[in-house]
Amino acid sequence: MPKNQKNQTVISVENISKVYQVGEVETVALDTVSFTIAKGEFVAIMGPSGSGKSTLMHILGALDTPTSGTYTLDGELVSSLSDDELADIRNRKIGFIFQAFNLLPRTTALHNVMLPMAYAGIPVAEREERAADALTKVGLANRIHHYSNQLSGGQQQRVAIARGIVMDPAILLADEPTGNIASNQADEVMEIFHTIHRQGHTIVMITHEPDIAAHAERILHIKDGKLVNDERNTQKTQRVRKPEDRKTG
Amino acid sequence: MDIREQVVESFRTLTVNKLRTGLAILGIVIGIGSVIALISLGQGSQQMVQNQIQSLGANLLTVQPGFSQSGSVRGAAGGGTTLTLDDALALSTDPTITTVKNVSPEVSSRQQVTAGRNNANEQVYGVYPAYADIHKITLSSGSFVTTSDLAAQRKVAVIGPQVVTDLFATDANPVGQKIRVKGQEYTVIGVTASKGGTGFQNQDAIIYIPLSTAQKSITGSSSINSISVEAASQDVMTTAEDQVGYALLKRHKIADPTQADFSIFSQQDILNTASSVTGTFTSLLSGIAAISLLVGGIGIMNIMLVTVTERTREIGLRKALGAKRATIIRQFLIESIILTILGGCIGMAFGATVSFILSKVLSIPFTITMSSVLLSIGVSGGIGIIFGWYPARTAAKLQPIEALRYE
Ligand SMILES: Nc1ncnc2c1ncn2[C@@H]1O[C@H](COP(=O)(O)OP(=O)(O)OP(=O)(O)O)[C@@H](O)[C@H]1O
Ligand SMILES: [Mg+2]
């Protein structure tokens, strides 16, 4: 894929399958899925519970490897990269928001959000500033010094979102980012996503709520591990309030 | 993340997880502390026995009668009658004996002793004035047996502090009082200072009278029980032993040294025997220490391994956020080293305190050797570091998702 092409492909999966073997039973979580995502696209993935969405997302985030098939990220074959190269890619290129949040226990919200920047070698003062900024964006300015276990589910999710966006990643992978959040806060999160999207960053987001999926430009439907539908979103929601108030974008 | 920052991060992790940190440190403290305390106790008691033997008199040779090997009868040392006062006097005048400073002939027997209505069975020694010098006897009051007491065969006695308590119930000064030994009256002329009587023989429970008096009134024989010989210095002990031995062989007209009718012991012989006994004691304690090291080690290992579940998820998360394998392993290594250093210092202080208190209670010298400290810290520290590092290394090799899902 030539890099200078206008409609450059960042994510390209070809016939990827993921089979889990539990004892005698084989679970096919992903079944020969193929698609590409262009740079700057905003994609939603929908599908029933257990259809393989998270499995797919982990593979896209270079956190897991497919049983078969190839995954090309930014022109590089992921299976050919070393452990450390992948760590670097996850750190600098990808922001991952876990469905289960995965915050460090007994650690403050601020420190959780600072963690990816620590591995990027960003100076401590800048880390604190950027982490506080990101937490403010997700509406947690007054919870910065709370420990992760002192936060509600929705607040933990927003800390996870702040951690996912704090490195300003080229690709944001969000697994049910609004699953635990009230709808008005979900709108704020979507607003943040739109801002990121407008900066030319790529977003892939799993959701089972149609009105959240409606924010995306494109919706992939997955069922029983198969890609069953790949549609352009025609009535795209682009509700952006007071764009001038935003620091960036 | 550079090392300095990782150290800070490690301290943060350790202080945040207080229980986990506390248990790991406790394991290390017990492992190190018990080893240091036990080895220190063993060495302290060894030291004590050596000190006691040394306090009996340095550079001392003891000649005792007895056929070492003679035909069918094998006489026990000290049991014969082959040593005489003349032998002892000859040893102090013989020109071939150049390395001897002092000679003290001794007779001893157990006697019923009375003072007023009190009555005790005591060890009675017939001695020369040189005895006090050789055996490092000092007096708390009065004076020791003198040459004129000896010449006049006076019935005078110098008694140990234990004898004073046995015979004189009141705390009146016994000097000048009378005691009766084997039916005859003796005047107490002195009391010896306490030697702390826990040796082979209680040095505080002895009555000293002039040798001439003892031979005439108690044993009724010219033979003596032993001759103590003080060598000029520690270095000439063996020469002195040889010179005394050959002089006596010549006097007794014995050509073959294996047929000697006396035996010579040196303080060194006793010291060696005692050392081998306490050495066994120390090995025993070392064995116990090794077991506590093992138990402590298993404790450390357990707590390190038990935390793996939680830590594996943490490792998965850190990898997902971009931590490299080496960075993660380094962080766990730093944490283990901090734990080990902390536990090691507390353990050393703990072990030293315990052995200090015990040494005071048991009144033995307080000694701590570098080797026991190094051994315990080496083993406990090694275990702590290995079992902190190894599971981290294994977890760091997992895919981030596998580690995050670890149960
Ligand atoms: N580690 C695993 N071992 C075995 N089976 C697994 C494992 N992880 C996932 N699965 C199975 O793979 C399938 C897909 O799981 P996945 O988590 O991708 O679903 P999902 O689409 O994200 O569901 P949800 O919407 O509930 O989050 C499920 O049937 C699940 O049971
Ligand atoms: Mg899921």
Side-chain angles (χ1 to χ4, degrees):
Chain A
M1 206 70 50
K3 287 221 165 181
N4 53 2
Q5 193 182 316
K6 200 91 196 250
N7 222 354
Q8 197 185 329
T9 301
V10 275
I11 287 170
S12 163
V13 293
E14 245 175 285
N15 295 322
I16 56 164
S17 297
K18 180 77 183 180
V19 181
Y20 290 111
Q21 180 102 38
V22 179
E24 297 283 283
V25 190
E26 277 194 349
T27 311
V28 182
L30 282 179
D31 191 0
T32 56
V33 173
S34 302
F35 60 86
T36 61
I37 293 174
K39 187 171 187 296
E41 256 191 301
F42 187 170
V43 180
I45 298 177
M46 295 189 76
S49 180
S51 54
K53 305 183 296 293
S54 293
T55 306
L56 174 63
M57 200 64 130
H58 293 149
I59 292 172
L60 295 184
L63 300 168
D64 205 355
T65 44
T67 316
S68 63
T70 56
Y71 171 31
T72 315
L73 177 67
D74 244 0
E76 280 182 297
L77 197 60
V78 168
S79 59
S80 70
L81 298 173
S82 74
D83 203 70
D84 282 356
E85 285 169 328
L86 287 176
D88 226 39
I89 286 174
R90 286 192 293 262
N91 185 237
R92 291 166 197 282
K93 217 178 260 184
I94 299 174
F96 202 102
I97 301 165
F98 290 94
Q99 188 173 16
F101 323 143
N102 288 330
L103 302 179
L104 271 189
R106 296 179 284 279
T107 302
T108 60
L110 187 70
H111 200 96
N112 265 292
V113 179
M114 283 165 64
L115 206 53
M117 290 186 282
Y119 293 120
I122 293 169
V124 181
E126 189 187 334
R127 270 184 235 168
E128 280 185 22
E129 201 185 303
R130 279 172 67 175
D133 255 16
L135 283 165
T136 309
K137 270 190 205 169
V138 297
L140 286 178
N142 55 348
R143 292 286 186 280
I144 281 180
H145 296 294
H146 277 58
Y147 286 93
S148 46
N149 48 304
Q150 296 168 338
L151 297 172
S152 73
Q155 288 168 335
Q156 290 185 34
Q157 181 146 48
R158 283 183 282 154
V159 175
I161 293 170
R163 189 181 60 192
I165 62 172
V166 76
M167 285 287 288
D168 202 13
I171 304 166
L172 180 64
L173 303 176
D175 193 347
E176 302 255 12
T178 57
N180 292 275
I181 305 182
S183 66
N184 63 324
Q185 284 166 340
D187 285 346
E188 277 170 34
V189 170
M190 283 305 108
E191 206 178 314
I192 295 168
F193 279 28
H194 282 303
T195 311
I196 292 169
H197 180 218
R198 272 202 309 278
Q199 288 165 3
H201 296 185
T202 311
I203 300 177
V204 182
M205 168 181 78
I206 293 174
T207 183
H208 57 259
E209 296 167 71
D211 51 329
I212 294 294
H215 285 272
E217 303 166 314
R218 179 182 166 195
I219 302 172
L220 302 178
H221 289 271
I222 291 189
K223 199 172 174 236
D224 294 334
K226 288 197 180 70
L227 182 63
V228 290
N229 195 2
D230 182 350
E231 57 168 351
R232 292 272 133 207
N233 183 10
T234 42
Q235 326 96 356
K236 196 164 69 148
T237 313
Q238 283 277 19
R239 205 181 47 161
V240 180
R241 290 171 300 182
K242 318 171 263 177
E244 296 77 21
D245 290 358
R246 293 283 154 200
K247 248 164 103 185
T248 50
Chain B
M1 266 206 217
D2 59 16
I3 297 265
R4 197 179 48 84
E5 209 190 323
Q6 280 198 303
V7 172
V8 175
E9 173 78 8
S10 299
F11 268 111
R12 194 193 64 85
T13 312
L14 291 175
T15 44
V16 157
N17 300 285
K18 288 193 180 60
L19 182 66
R20 190 169 78 198
T21 306
L23 287 174
I25 288 181
L26 186 68
I28 296 172
V29 166
I30 290 174
I32 292 179
S34 56
V35 170
I36 290 180
L38 286 169
I39 292 181
S40 156
L41 280 183
Q43 282 166 340
S45 44
Q46 190 161 14
Q47 188 89 54
M48 179 193 66
V49 172
Q50 276 170 2
N51 289 351
Q52 256 176 5
I53 292 167
Q54 228 102 50
S55 80
L56 298 177
N59 313 338
L60 203 61
L61 292 174
T62 308
V63 187
Q64 292 196 321
F67 300 92
S68 46
Q69 265 160 17
S70 93
S72 57
V73 185
R74 190 163 194 274
T81 55
T82 53
L83 279 185
T84 63
L85 185 57
D86 290 342
D87 285 332
L89 297 178
L91 286 182
S92 49
T93 53
D94 192 321
T96 65
I97 298 177
T98 54
T99 51
V100 166
K101 207 162 88 184
N102 255 324
V103 177
S104 155
E106 293 150 27
V107 299
S108 66
S109 64
R110 215 156 237 293
Q111 297 297 335
Q112 204 61 33
V113 183
T114 56
R117 310 175 78 195
N118 295 322
N119 176 340
N121 192 275
E122 304 284 2
Q123 195 73 28
V124 178
Y125 277 27
V127 298
Y128 262 49
Y131 186 97
D133 234 18
I134 289 185
H135 293 279
K136 307 212 178 332
I137 303 280
T138 50
L139 295 184
S140 63
S141 65
S143 57
F144 200 68
V145 173
T146 62
T147 335
S148 73
D149 293 333
L150 207 61
Q153 299 184 354
R154 277 189 200 119
K155 293 209 168 57
V156 292
V158 175
I159 61 181
Q162 183 63 49
V163 181
V164 176
T165 10
D166 289 349
L167 294 180
F168 303 98
T170 60
D171 42 345
N173 185 3
V175 176
Q177 309 251 39
K178 307 284 187 207
I179 59 172
R180 293 183 82 85
V181 181
K182 218 181 176 186
Q184 289 174 315
E185 199 172 68
Y186 287 73
T187 309
V188 176
I189 57 166
V191 178
T192 62
S194 174
K195 271 198 159 193
T198 47
F200 298 104
Q201 178 156 36
N202 188 347
Q203 300 289 302
D204 292 347
I206 295 175
I207 298 174
Y208 305 96
I209 61 174
L211 182 88
S212 50
T213 318
Q215 283 181 323
K216 183 174 164 240
S217 313
I218 294 176
T219 64
S221 129
S222 68
S223 67
I224 57 177
N225 295 104
S226 72
I227 306 172
S228 293
V229 178
E230 188 182 5
S233 75
Q234 182 82 52
D235 305 332
V236 297
M237 287 289 281
T238 38
T239 321
E241 193 171 339
D242 288 347
Q243 289 179 346
V244 167
Y246 283 115
L248 284 178
L249 285 173
K250 216 165 104 197
R251 271 185 61 82
H252 292 189
K253 303 195 166 50
I254 298 165
D256 181 0
T258 62
Q259 297 294 314
D261 55 1
F262 59 87
S263 8
I264 304 177
F265 306 100
S266 70
Q267 201 70 258
Q268 196 57 46
D269 296 333
I270 304 171
L271 205 61
N272 288 345
T273 315
S275 293
S276 79
V277 172
T278 53
T280 313
F281 185 58
T282 304
S283 321
L284 177 79
L285 281 176
S286 303
I288 297 171
I291 292 170
S292 43
L293 207 54
L294 188 75
V295 171
I298 290 172
I300 299 165
M301 192 175 88
N302 268 353
I303 186 69
M304 291 296 191
L305 290 178
V306 158
T307 59
V308 160
T309 310
E310 193 184 52
R311 304 309 307 265
T312 299
R313 289 205 200 100
E314 179 191 328
I315 288 170
L317 176 65
R318 287 177 185 275
K319 271 194 90 172
L321 297 180
K324 296 202 166 74
R325 206 180 276 182
T327 313
I328 289 172
I329 294 171
R330 200 165 60 216
Q331 186 194 324
F332 278 72
L333 213 51
I334 291 172
E335 277 184 31
S336 305
I337 290 171
I338 292 174
L339 280 180
T340 305
I341 291 175
L342 269 177
C345 291
I346 301 174
M348 262 193 293
F350 170 72
T353 311
V354 166
S355 56
F356 181 77
I357 292 171
L358 281 180
S359 69
K360 283 286 159 281
V361 170
L362 303 172
S363 60
I364 58 173
F366 171 64
T367 49
I368 279 188
T369 55
M370 206 55 207
S371 58
S372 70
V373 171
L374 290 183
L375 173 82
S376 58
I377 289 192
V379 174
S380 304
I383 291 173
I385 289 169
I386 287 169
F387 286 96
W389 160 79
Y390 184 76
R393 197 190 75 122
T394 314
K397 278 186 177 170
L398 294 175
Q399 290 278 348
I401 277 297
E402 279 178 80
L404 274 169
R405 277 210 201 98
Y406 189 87
E407 291 286 322

